[in-house]
Amino acid sequence: MATRTDPLTLEVVELIGTVVARYHEEYDRAAADHSLTGAQARVLGLLALEPTPMRKIAVKLKCEPSNVTGIVDRLETRGLVERRPDPVDRRVKLAAATEAGVRTARELRESLTFAREPLAELSDVERTVLRDLLRRMLGEA
């Protein structure tokens, strides 16, 4: 029976931590190649998917809304993000990636090879099992 301290559980936790650390290192390097911080790149990545209220960005990134405001300000200065009124609620401002922002976010995603290359070596069945296990760990199964 698995416990929080059995050797296999501890090894899996350590391996997950190593994967996460390597992903963040690569992500930060890719961001720096575009003269962005890791946080700026994460916000840009979110906004490239859809315009988002600042508060929602803060919740997703688990940070204070004032931090998001500063990040969006810097991205806006670089022409990667713009603010626009929410068409549903004009009192709410949405942050949205500009064309240049969408392009930069795509380039960032495409430059991340750490996870993609090893995953490509797994079979479809192995990747499906891994995905399903990760979803289950996150309570999404």
Side-chain angles (χ1 to χ4, degrees):
M1 166 126 180
T3 66
R4 290 182 297 149
T5 58
D6 73 87
L8 181 57
T9 298
L10 293 175
E11 182 181 4
V12 170
V13 167
E14 184 67 29
L15 289 168
I16 290 170
T18 301
V19 167
V20 168
R22 286 188 187 171
Y23 175 80
H24 282 291
E25 287 169 13
E26 182 175 352
Y27 198 87
D28 288 344
R29 271 194 307 277
D33 288 344
H34 289 85
S35 302
L36 298 169
T37 65
Q40 289 170 339
R42 283 186 277 288
V43 168
L44 185 58
L46 288 172
L47 297 178
L49 298 174
E50 65 179 334
T52 307
M54 307 265 254
R55 286 198 181 281
K56 190 173 179 182
I57 297 168
V59 169
K60 282 188 176 188
L61 296 181
K62 295 176 178 56
C63 69
E64 292 297 316
S66 60
N67 290 348
V68 172
T69 299
I71 292 168
V72 169
D73 286 346
R74 287 185 286 285
L75 292 170
E76 190 173 33
T77 299
R78 296 216 14 221
L80 300 173
V81 167
E82 64 186 10
R83 288 177 171 90
R84 54 174 87 140
D86 185 334
V88 177
D89 184 349
R90 309 282 292 171
R91 297 170 295 170
V92 175
K93 288 283 187 193
L94 299 177
T98 62
E99 282 186 38
V102 170
R103 190 171 46 255
T104 299
R106 185 181 60 248
E107 290 169 3
L108 273 163
R109 264 191 321 275
E110 290 171 356
S111 70
L112 298 174
T113 58
F114 164 70
R116 275 197 310 248
E117 288 176 4
L119 284 172
E121 294 177 15
L122 300 178
S123 70
D124 286 349
V125 171
E126 290 170 322
R127 285 194 312 275
T128 300
V129 168
L130 178 59
R131 180 205 59 203
D132 293 347
L133 289 170
L134 292 170
R135 283 181 175 171
R136 193 163 130 202
M137 285 179 65
L138 294 169
E140 297 175 4

